[in-house]
Amino acid sequence: MIPSIFTDLKTLILAAEADPAVDTASAAVDLLRDWLASHETTLVASKTKAPVEFNGTMIQWFHWYVKGDGGHWRRLKKEARALAEAGITAVWLPPASKGGGPDDVGYGTYDLFDLGEFDQKGSVRTKYGTRQEYLEAVQACREAGLQVYADVVFNHKLFADAEEEYLATPYAPENRGQPLGEERKIRAWTQFRFEGRGGRHSTMQWHWYHFDAVDYNSLDPHYQAIWRSHGASFEGNVALEKGNYDFLMGCDLNMAHPEVRGELKHWGRWTLDQVGVDGFRLDAIKHINSDFFIDWITELESYAQRDLFVVGEYWTYDLGSLSWYAANSGGKMSLFDAPLHLNFHEASRSGGQYDMPSLLDGTLMQNLPLLAVTLVENHDTQPLQALESPVEPWFKPLAYAVILLRDQGYPCIFHADYYGADYHDSRFGRRIDIRMPSHRFLIDRFLLARTHWAYGRQIDYFDHFNTIGWTRLGSEGHPRTLAVLLSDGDTGRKWMEVGKANTTYRDLTGHIREAITTNVDGWAEWRCPGGSVSVWVEQEALAELGIQV
């Protein structure tokens, strides 16, 4: 990367923030869109491996309720080659560090340096397995040609080893700008000694002054407050929800403390050395000062002497807020396209009454595609989770066609959508059983099309309330063409151009058995079933790969 272009972006957004006459959120959208357009060549060149035409696809290789039998890493090791052969190019792995016990999904962070190596919190292994199994799974992915992205949980720590007494000021949980009283002595679980690790990999122990706030005071356990540590302050450049959304849970890391910043950089360098990852997924970044990540990413890329892929989870449906954070972090990270997920969720719940031409409105995919990681579902939005907003099963093939077969965004497939998932949890004392069906057959077909034919100029036909489509006209390196048509209502029909005259096409999904042949001008009336999607590819291209539909 060329560091100056990121510095320039940071300067521009700071100037917009300082001008009281400017709506910062609106300015951020326009500013970032223009900046990405003017630096597109540099950004793409720095992040794309040869050959230049490369349709990358990642998979989130876990969901909240994957088996907690310690076999996850072993299963990934066996599956890595199949993932690569399907057309997946990268895997986002769950947090590999030790949490509060062997069933911890990984977001209840206890010890970042324990990857399932030490007897701490009731087990040696994590939910996913041991350190050795983790390293073997990563190696298997790399041998298969897959990039590996590690999940990074820096916002908080939980499950401390001992309490400490210190001074803190109570603030209203729903308004962090409102103190509830004077500074006073509290007792909180803030001492992390990691005795099971015995100083290996890192000698730092954590104390109250490494955290800017906690949410529990055992001297007054029933008093509801966010306790801001003596000498600390809530961080800036975070989401403005609840007045200041620096604090989320547990012991909130103080990113202004030099020992904290130094330790997190050390962990990043250690992870690059010990695990060999190609990038990171950053958890809960709306609660962390964006300046920290500029510093952290710059440090790690300098250490690695290469570009690292970084995507942040700033979960908001507001395009202005996402644009502001992306600009404020210097454009150094991609962001998950939460607004696109919301549109998919709402469309799937609308019973055919969703305005399909508006499906991409307000999304990163449409407005800031170079920074967009597009997704249909994830571990937080799946049923029974914190951000529960599932996309209904009937609509998921349509949604996956959108993220996998269009030109914009870096798509992410969800483990539970690929393999299916059966699990249960409790709500209000009642067991609830969930079944998420597998969409692997169609996703694999979309991946096949993405790998071989989803290239070149894209022509959109978003001109009907229920039925929308687009065509890809191919490129010099990938001259085959395709047409995609989907409908959330009745059977869809639409005239679209692919630019190839008198050419026969087949529906790769198998939904429609009859072939379609273009006219002398390269146009045809394409079809798809109601509430479904069809992907039309050249019959000769299928024959070349030995595929029948």
Side-chain angles (χ1 to χ4, degrees):
M1 283 283 181
I2 300 175
S4 63
I5 69 173
F6 297 109
T7 303
D8 292 345
L9 177 59
K10 177 70 173 178
T11 301
L12 289 170
I13 193 64
L14 287 174
E17 290 177 353
D19 188 343
V22 172
D23 182 321
T24 302
S26 298
V29 176
D30 295 335
L31 182 156
L32 193 52
R33 185 187 293 120
D34 293 344
W35 180 86
L36 287 169
S38 62
H39 294 93
E40 179 174 4
T41 301
T42 302
L43 292 166
V44 171
S46 68
K47 290 295 185 184
T48 304
K49 293 183 177 180
V52 173
E53 285 192 329
F54 174 74
N55 281 341
T57 304
M58 79 171 81
I59 185 169
Q60 178 183 349
W61 214 78
F62 69 101
H63 64 88
W64 195 269
Y65 298 94
V66 293
K67 292 180 181 179
D69 58 1
H72 194 68
W73 302 138
R74 295 193 300 273
R75 287 186 283 272
L76 174 58
K77 181 180 177 180
K78 293 180 180 178
E79 186 72 2
R81 182 65 58 184
L83 294 174
E85 290 174 351
I88 291 166
T89 60
V91 289
W92 155 25
L93 301 184
S97 301
K98 185 65 62 69
D103 296 322
D104 196 302
V105 176
Y107 296 102
T109 305
Y110 169 67
D111 185 357
L112 288 172
F113 290 93
D114 184 355
L115 303 178
E117 183 181 5
F118 305 101
D119 189 359
Q120 299 187 111
K121 299 302 170 185
S123 69
V124 172
R125 71 165 177 87
T126 67
K127 175 177 181 175
Y128 309 107
T130 66
R131 170 192 165 101
Q132 184 59 37
E133 291 165 342
Y134 175 49
L135 298 180
E136 289 176 2
V138 170
Q139 182 60 30
C141 290
R142 298 182 66 83
E143 290 174 355
L146 299 169
Q147 290 194 334
V148 176
Y149 306 147
D151 205 314
V152 179
V153 188
F154 278 171
N155 179 73
H156 53 270
K157 282 187 174 294
L158 295 166
F159 310 106
D161 299 310
E163 291 183 297
E164 296 178 305
E165 290 189 359
Y166 59 99
L167 297 177
T169 303
Y171 281 79
E174 298 304 316
N175 182 3
R176 283 75 184 281
Q178 177 186 345
L180 298 178
E182 299 297 320
E183 185 177 71
R184 68 193 75 172
K185 183 173 72 173
I186 71 167
R187 183 186 298 143
W189 289 89
T190 52
Q191 186 176 154
F192 293 79
R193 298 191 294 258
F194 314 120
E195 293 174 346
R197 180 158 53 81
R200 290 187 60 186
H201 309 312
S202 169
T203 59
M204 179 175 170
Q205 296 189 358
W206 293 67
H207 298 280
W208 67 266
Y209 46 83
H210 295 124
F211 307 108
D212 54 32
V214 298
D215 57 0
Y216 181 76
N217 170 19
S218 63
L219 295 180
D220 195 355
H222 300 296
Y223 189 76
Q224 299 296 309
I226 306 299
W227 297 91
R228 195 186 73 186
S229 304
H230 174 75
S233 60
F234 294 120
E235 297 168 13
N237 291 337
V238 297
L240 298 180
E241 298 170 49
K242 302 185 179 183
N244 178 297
Y245 219 2
D246 173 20
F247 183 84
L248 174 63
M249 66 175 69
C251 301
D252 192 87
L253 272 61
N254 183 355
M255 297 302 183
H257 198 291
E259 290 181 2
V260 172
R261 296 174 75 93
E263 183 74 345
L264 299 184
K265 290 179 180 179
H266 167 54
W267 179 85
R269 295 189 296 267
W270 177 83
T271 298
L272 290 173
D273 290 340
Q274 298 293 315
V275 183
V277 299
D278 302 284
F280 300 93
R281 179 265 186 187
L282 307 178
D283 183 61
I285 63 172
K286 70 193 296 185
H287 310 282
I288 300 173
N289 189 326
S290 58
D291 290 343
F292 165 77
F293 284 120
I294 297 178
D295 186 31
W296 189 78
I297 297 169
T298 300
E299 164 76 17
L300 294 196
E301 291 190 331
S302 175
Y303 178 78
Q305 289 297 293
R306 57 189 170 93
D307 288 285
L308 300 169
F309 175 76
V310 181
V311 57
E313 183 220 12
Y314 191 110
W315 201 262
T316 178
Y317 301 126
D318 181 66
L319 179 63
S321 297
L322 288 167
S323 301
W324 167 82
Y325 194 93
N328 213 41
S329 57
K332 291 187 73 66
M333 70 174 79
S334 297
L335 296 171
F336 286 107
D337 198 345
L340 181 64
H341 160 76
L342 179 64
N343 289 357
F344 289 154
H345 165 70
E346 292 180 342
S348 77
R349 294 286 184 92
S350 296
Q353 298 304 307
Y354 190 86
D355 179 22
M356 291 297 282
S358 69
L359 189 64
L360 305 183
D361 287 359
T363 67
L364 293 178
M365 186 183 207
Q366 182 182 72
N367 292 275
L368 307 170
L370 282 177
L371 297 182
V373 171
T374 54
L375 75 165
V376 176
E377 198 88 84
N378 72 13
H379 62 291
D380 285 324
T381 67
Q382 71 181 106
L384 304 183
Q385 275 308 295
L387 300 173
E388 181 176 3
S389 51
V391 177
E392 296 298 325
W394 74 271
F395 194 85
K396 281 189 173 176
L398 287 72
Y400 274 106
V402 170
I403 71 170
L404 290 172
L405 298 178
R406 292 183 61 76
D407 186 42
Q408 300 86 4
Y410 183 5
C412 180
I413 297 166
F414 185 41
H415 186 286
D417 289 338
Y418 196 63
Y419 296 101
D422 289 280
Y423 60 90
H424 67 271
D425 209 335
S426 296
R427 288 277 182 89
F428 310 111
R430 182 171 63 91
R431 171 174 165 145
I432 300 177
D433 293 287
I434 299 294
R435 180 180 181 273
M436 298 180 67
S438 168
H439 298 277
R440 184 169 185 167
F441 174 79
L442 285 178
I443 291 174
D444 279 346
R445 287 299 170 102
F446 299 155
L447 284 169
L448 180 69
R450 178 173 176 80
T451 300
H452 295 284
W453 308 304
Y455 296 90
R457 182 184 170 198
Q458 177 174 282
I459 305 177
D460 287 339
Y461 298 85
F462 283 41
D463 54 3
H464 185 275
F465 185 79
N466 294 115
T467 304
I468 60 174
W470 62 91
T471 58
R472 303 295 300 274
L473 303 192
S475 63
E476 183 176 350
H478 295 83
R480 297 294 188 179
T481 59
L482 64 78
V484 181
L485 194 68
L486 53 92
S487 171
D488 75 336
D490 296 332
T491 298
R493 296 178 180 270
K494 190 177 295 292
W495 280 91
M496 301 190 295
E497 178 190 9
V498 289
K500 288 196 173 182
N502 304 314
T503 303
T504 300
Y505 288 76
R506 293 279 182 181
D507 181 4
L508 187 62
T509 70
H511 290 151
I512 296 178
R513 309 304 298 180
E514 302 81 7
I516 289 178
T517 301
T518 57
N519 63 20
V520 295
D521 297 315
W523 286 74
E525 185 183 42
W526 309 95
R527 292 182 291 141
C528 70
S532 189
V533 57
S534 290
V535 178
W536 294 92
V537 300
E538 295 178 38
Q539 183 171 271
E540 287 187 358
L542 292 173
E544 290 170 357
L545 296 176
I547 297 171
Q548 293 184 343
V549 294

